[in-house]
Each structure stands twice: as structure tokens, then as C-alpha cells.
Amino acid sequence: MLRELRIQNFAIITDLMLNFKPGLVVLTGETGAGKSIILDALSSILGMRVDSSVVRQGSTHAYVEGVFDLDQESFDVLKPLLEEEGLFEGEKQLVLSREIRAEGRSIARVNGRSVNMGLQSEIGTVLVDVHGQSEHLSLLKVKSHRELLDRFAHNTALLQEYQDFYRQWTALESELKELTRLQNSADERMDLLRYQTTQIEAANISVDEEEQLKQERVRLANAETLSRYAQSALQGLDESTPEVSAVTDLLGSISSELGALARIDPQVQFLADQVETALTSLADAAYELRRYSDKIEFNPARLDQIELRIDLLNNLKRKHGGSLAKVLEFYTSAREELQKVENLEDEIAQVNKKNGSVKQNLAKKALALRKTRQEAAEKLVFQMEEQLSSLEMRKARLQAVLGGSPDPKGLQIDGGLAFDAYGVDQVEFLIETNPGEGFKPLAKIASGGETSRLMLALKNVLAEADRIPTLVFDEIDSGIGGRVGMIVGSMLWRLGRLHQVMCVTHLPQLAAYGDQHFKVSKQSHGERTTTQLQELQGESRVKELAEMLGASGEQSIQTAREILASVEKYEGTI
């Protein structure tokens, strides 16, 4: 339920802090005082669209924050979503906020962290259901009728079973579509795959081959230079001439002299050892350098072979991904696809067989869904008509139309019906408000009051199945009188035993049922107008109900007391 709502610089609201209780919460006040603005502010933190025009004149931004206490069901629904987004804090409380800046930017937050508007909206739909008199009412959307009926029929488990098969079917359909696409171009595709795999096989490549070839190419292209450097180094190191002694010869002489010195004075033996070690290292280096020099080859033919090989590898890389590793990956996938293409007919037959079996299971579940929907539709219509009768719509009749679209390729029910993730049924509620007018779509109801009462009747019928903890009704009393207002009030009060219900009303008979009553008013300070809010209890509430009756004096006060006494008596009987 919504526990706290703070609104700052939103339209004519400067700063309001509202603390809500469970049950039925009513908002009353004169037209234009700001009742609907409070609901608009609430809607903003539920992810609904709002523009910068709501920012109070002279302010840089508007801010709305709501604190929600989560019941176990809402907690279980929201926990996976919050965990996935890194927003779960382990508590059964959630804070939604919205900052609307004057320049147009809007920031949504959940538990203090910025989120996209889609996520805030997804969370909001779990917490609050806002009903106003507009074409956006869920009851007026035909697409929502099937969901409403399933909720009433408690079809969650059965629908889940159906959708498990539906997911299998969609996966098989995707696989079949791909196999069919391959089959349609099988011959051409097989020729191409065979050519590509044969070309790669003939190349006999390895991932590290290219680097080795490049190194060998460098050596062959610079063979003369390498040989010159090697010979020069070798001559200075180990090949003396009459004019110049080699380093190893000189070091050998030095080693001999130091050896003689160490025999006389042992303390310089370490110097003799160091020179001896250096001489050994240089001799080894000379040996390795001579071997390296002998291997340097002047081979233009081999260089040409390497150039051709590198060109081949570059050509394969250009065709298949940019690297030899990608070429080998392509080869593996191409071989798999080739094998798949070569066995297409058998594979298509197997997938079709699986698909047929899954569609049989889908048909069984779809029929089970249809049966529960038909049974539930009769009960829903009956209960709705009872509710409407008590709301002074005694002549109204409802009709739940369940149908399907013929499709020979669909599920084999009634000769073949089209199906989707929710079965084969299309559901629409129709209404006849007066005898002889004929049944019409709910969206074509002319009276706003009739729409409101229809919604209230539905909410009462669905109260047990409805998962949303907070229900908001904006002026549900539009178009109804005081006597019906008492009935509407009692309905909302009963609904408040299962949900937190918030209602904007102008009827004192309805307002009297509120477990919590707020009066919304506006005050002028100089040239600025500000919305004020007061929680009413005791005599202040009696006075407000009297004023709502449209009369003044002791008579209206007495009538207000009588209304409250009547409500108290009614509530005591429930």
C-alpha cells in the first residue's frame, strides 16, 4: 500500500506530505482545489507521461516521492525484477520518485537510483491501478478483457502450462522456418558450402602459421644483409687475421696471463675465473653465430612461395572474418551447415513431427482454457449484473462474447482456429444499458457515470483475484446521485477491506465511508495560489460533509451526522 506521498512544486502544490492508512481513503474539496493534481502527481511516480508544464511557476523543478509498503504477493512479484536491476535492498518497502525539471528533462528513481521510465512503469503497474474517466480505462480496452476473465477464473496455473507448450511451439516454428529457408536454396547453398570448405581444407592452415611465414619472409628478403652482419661479427669474435686479433684470441691470452698471476697470488683467482667464464661464453656465442650464418640462404624461389602463401591466407581472411582463427571457425560452422543441408528432408520431417505433437498438447490446454473461461464468463456476467442493479443500473445487461478466428493451419479445434500465447479465444464484454438498444462494446457507453459504475462493479467482482494492492478512482461518483452514492460508498468500503482504495469524490454519502478523509483546498497569498490539505476527523469532518450537501445551518449538520451514523451502523454489520 501507499504509505507516504510527498509533492513539491507540482502545479499549484508547493509542499505537501501525505500519510495514508489502509482501507478507503477519500479526497474531497471544491472543483479546482487540486484533488486531481494529487492523483496526477501520484501517476508521475508510476511511470506515466508528464511534461514540464506541471512545474510550479518560478521553480526549477517539481519533485514527487512515494513510499510503498509491500504485501507478500507484491514483494514476490517485484523481487526478481528489482534483483535483476540491482535495486533490491531486502526490505518490504519501496521508494519511487520523479523529478520533473522546468527545461523538460525528467528523472525517475527507484530506491534512490535512476532508472528508465519503462522500468518505473512496470513496477508501478504492480503497486497501483489508477482509474479515471477516460478512454484509457482498462475495462474499455478489448485486449484486456481476456486477461480480466482469466483473473476471475483463476487461470494462472493453466495458462502457464499452455504457455510452456506455446514457447516450445514458437522455438520449433523458428527452427522449421530456418530449415525451410535452407531447403529453398539448398542446391545453390550446398555448392557454395562445398566450394568454401574444400578451399579451406586445401589450404591446410593453422592459426600461428601466418606469423611464422612473415618472420621467414623477412629473413629471406634480407639474406645478404644478415650474412654480411653475421660474418663481420664472427670475424671480430673468433677469426683472427695477420693484422687484427679476434676477441677470443685476445681474451685467451688474457686468461692465460691471469692464470699465471693467480698461481703466484691466489687472491686474484676470482679475476682469472671471471675471464675464463667470459671466454667460454664468447666461444659459445661464436659457435651459435657460425651455425646461424651457415643457415642463411639466398633462395628467391622460397621467397616467392612464401609471398604466394601469404596472399592465399589474406584472401581467406578477407572472405571469412579477418583472421585465421575466424577462417577456421567459419570452416567448422560451414561443415555443420553442409551436413545439416544434406540431411534437410529428414530433419524437417522430425521437426514437423515434434511440432504436431506440441500442437496437440496446445489444443488440449486451449480447450481447457476455453472451458474455464466459458464457465467463468457466466458467473462474471451474473455477478456484474447484480452489482450494477445495486448501483441503479437494474436494466443493464452484460454479455461475454468468446470467439475464435478460423485458421486451417491453427489448432485443430472446431475445424482449425488461430491461436496466440493466450489460447484460441478472443474475449469481449458487451453491454445493453437499456432494453431494446442492443448489446454494444463497452467503449461506446455514452455516460461517464455508467462507465464509472461498471468499473466499480467489475473491481468488486474481481477484488479477490486482483493482485494490485492500491486502487485509485478519480471522481467515480460522476453522474450519480446521493442514494446511489451511499451504495457506491459501501462498495468502495468493502473493497477497502481487501485493498487500499483512494477515491476523489464530491458526494458526502460516499465520503462518509472513508476510513481516512482528506479535505483539499486552495489558498491565495498575494498573487500566488497554493493547494492545502487537511486530514479531517470528528467535528471538522461533520462540517465538511455538511458543506458538501450544499446547504448551511443546523439542518445540514444534522444530516451529515445522520449519514455518518448510518455508515457506522452499516460497517458494524459487516
Side-chain angles (χ1 to χ4, degrees):
M1 58 164 273
L2 176 62
R3 184 161 59 84
E4 294 177 5
L5 182 66
R6 181 162 193 177
I7 309 170
Q8 294 178 318
N9 300 320
F10 193 98
I12 60 173
I13 297 175
T14 302
D15 193 350
L16 279 183
M17 172 63 84
L18 293 84
N19 293 286
F20 296 110
K21 298 175 182 177
L24 174 59
V25 180
V26 295
L27 301 173
T28 64
E30 295 180 359
T31 300
K35 302 183 297 299
S36 293
I37 293 175
I38 293 173
L39 299 189
D40 289 340
L42 172 60
S43 296
S44 73
I45 62 171
L46 303 177
M48 297 187 185
R49 187 179 298 276
V50 60
D51 59 50
S52 59
S53 64
V54 302
V55 179
R56 184 170 172 79
Q57 186 68 31
S59 300
T60 59
H61 66 279
Y63 181 77
V64 184
E65 180 180 281
V67 179
F68 294 85
D69 291 332
L70 305 180
D71 59 19
Q72 189 60 48
E73 190 167 3
S74 299
F75 180 81
D76 292 340
V77 172
L78 290 175
K79 182 182 176 183
L81 179 62
L82 295 173
E83 286 180 331
E84 183 179 348
E85 299 293 333
L87 299 169
F88 182 64
E89 297 184 348
E91 298 180 1
K92 290 187 177 181
Q93 191 178 83
L94 198 64
V95 180
L96 303 182
S97 64
R98 184 85 169 268
E99 182 180 325
I100 305 103
R101 297 184 179 175
E103 72 272 14
R105 188 182 174 197
S106 179
I107 303 172
R109 292 187 177 90
V110 176
N111 285 340
R113 293 183 55 185
S114 297
V115 298
N116 62 59
M117 217 64 70
L119 176 61
Q120 193 177 58
S121 178
E122 188 175 354
I123 293 171
T125 57
V126 176
L127 299 174
V128 182
D129 195 2
V130 180
H131 298 284
Q133 292 190 54
S134 72
E135 67 280 10
H136 300 297
L137 285 170
S138 59
L139 188 57
L140 304 185
K141 298 177 184 176
V142 176
K143 288 183 179 179
S144 72
H145 292 184
R146 181 168 55 187
E147 180 188 354
L148 292 171
L149 185 57
D150 280 336
R151 276 164 49 192
F152 180 76
H154 301 284
N155 274 343
T156 303
L158 182 56
L159 190 59
Q160 182 62 54
E161 293 173 7
Y162 173 88
Q163 290 175 340
D164 288 342
F165 285 116
Y166 185 80
R167 280 188 287 272
Q168 294 177 35
W169 175 80
T170 54
L172 289 169
E173 281 292 302
S174 296
E175 185 179 358
L176 193 59
K177 184 178 180 181
E178 177 62 17
L179 290 171
T180 303
R181 183 190 67 78
L182 290 173
Q183 188 181 47
N184 290 338
S185 56
D187 293 339
E188 182 180 344
R189 183 66 177 167
M190 286 173 67
D191 289 342
L192 176 61
L193 289 172
R194 287 194 184 104
Y195 169 77
Q196 291 172 326
T197 53
T198 300
Q199 187 182 44
I200 296 172
E201 285 172 356
N204 192 27
I205 63 176
S206 62
V207 174
D208 57 354
E209 176 185 8
E210 187 175 20
E211 185 60 32
Q212 295 173 357
L213 287 171
K214 287 180 178 179
Q215 291 177 8
E216 186 178 358
R217 181 174 64 178
V218 169
R219 290 194 298 271
L220 287 170
N222 295 277
E224 185 176 346
T225 301
L226 294 173
S227 180
R228 185 173 68 252
Y229 286 149
Q231 287 299 325
S232 177
L234 188 60
Q235 186 176 1
L237 189 63
D238 199 43
E239 296 178 357
S240 298
T241 65
E243 295 80 13
V244 180
S245 296
V247 171
T248 51
D249 289 341
L250 291 172
L251 202 58
S253 177
I254 294 170
S255 177
S256 178
E257 296 293 337
L258 286 174
L261 180 62
R263 284 192 292 274
I264 298 171
D265 187 357
Q267 68 179 352
V268 297
Q269 182 62 47
F270 76 97
L271 292 175
D273 293 341
Q274 287 180 353
V275 172
E276 180 66 26
T277 300
L279 179 60
T280 302
S281 295
L282 286 176
D284 290 343
Y287 174 76
E288 292 298 332
L289 184 57
R290 186 171 283 106
R291 287 184 62 199
Y292 172 78
S293 180
D294 291 342
K295 288 181 181 179
I296 296 174
E297 61 176 330
F298 299 88
N299 192 341
R302 175 58 182 164
L303 183 58
D304 289 342
Q305 288 177 352
I306 290 174
E307 294 289 359
L308 289 172
R309 180 66 176 176
I310 290 176
D311 286 344
L312 172 63
L313 297 181
N314 286 335
N315 185 42
L316 290 173
K317 289 194 300 180
R318 280 193 298 272
K319 289 180 179 179
H320 307 300
S323 70
L324 293 183
K326 292 290 185 183
V327 173
L328 293 174
E329 286 179 16
F330 171 81
Y331 174 76
T332 301
S333 64
R335 287 292 305 168
E336 290 174 355
E337 185 179 350
L338 183 60
Q339 186 176 5
K340 200 172 186 178
V341 171
E342 289 171 343
N343 297 290
L344 273 177
E345 288 188 8
D346 290 342
E347 196 160 353
I348 288 174
Q350 290 176 8
V351 173
N352 271 322
K353 184 177 180 180
K354 290 180 184 176
N355 205 11
S357 175
V358 170
K359 285 182 74 174
Q360 287 180 358
N361 288 322
L362 274 173
K364 291 177 183 177
K365 296 299 179 183
L367 280 171
L369 279 170
R370 169 170 281 191
K371 182 179 179 181
T372 61
R373 286 167 178 162
Q374 287 172 336
E375 293 172 352
E378 294 179 7
K379 295 177 183 177
L380 179 62
V381 166
F382 177 76
Q383 292 181 30
M384 283 281 289
E385 288 180 350
E386 280 191 327
Q387 296 279 341
L388 291 173
S389 178
S390 66
L391 289 169
E392 298 297 308
M393 291 179 68
R394 293 184 180 86
K395 296 180 180 180
R397 294 292 178 268
L398 277 175
Q399 187 178 70
V401 179
L402 277 72
S405 299
D407 183 357
K409 296 181 179 179
L411 298 183
Q412 293 309 301
I413 300 172
D414 297 339
L417 292 176
F419 63 103
D420 59 16
Y422 299 91
V424 295
D425 302 312
Q426 289 146 17
V427 180
E428 182 176 9
F429 295 121
L430 305 177
I431 189 169
E432 182 183 59
T433 53
N434 295 297
E437 290 183 352
F439 287 93
K440 298 176 183 178
L442 300 184
K444 298 199 174 183
I445 300 172
S447 165
E450 289 174 336
T451 303
S452 296
R453 281 179 275 179
L454 194 61
M455 175 57 72
L456 179 58
L458 180 67
K459 279 297 173 184
N460 271 279
V461 171
L462 292 177
E464 184 181 344
D466 207 331
R467 301 182 300 273
I468 301 175
T470 299
L471 308 176
V472 178
F473 295 93
D474 187 5
E475 299 191 18
I476 197 171
D477 54 13
S478 177
I480 62 177
R483 186 160 55 87
V484 179
M486 291 291 288
I487 300 170
V488 172
S490 66
M491 281 187 171
L492 289 175
W493 184 83
R494 290 198 303 273
L495 198 55
R497 303 316 97 193
L498 298 170
H499 306 265
Q500 181 188 48
V501 180
M502 299 178 66
C503 178
V504 171
T505 181
H506 293 282
L507 282 178
Q509 293 86 350
L510 192 160
Y513 278 92
D515 297 294
Q516 189 177 23
H517 187 164
F518 289 100
K519 179 180 180 179
V520 183
S521 60
K522 59 182 179 180
Q523 297 180 1
S524 296
H525 303 279
E527 296 182 355
R528 302 303 299 273
T529 301
T530 304
T531 291
Q532 302 291 329
L533 191 130
Q534 177 187 4
E535 184 174 358
L536 303 179
Q537 293 177 341
E539 287 302 311
S540 62
R541 189 180 186 200
V542 173
K543 183 180 178 182
E544 170 66 4
L545 294 178
E547 291 177 358
M548 292 174 69
L549 288 166
S552 59
E554 283 300 318
Q555 182 60 45
S556 59
I557 292 289
Q558 181 60 32
T559 302
R561 293 187 192 281
E562 291 173 358
I563 293 174
L564 286 170
S566 175
V567 168
E568 185 177 351
K569 181 179 178 181
Y570 170 81
E571 292 174 355
T573 64
I574 302 299

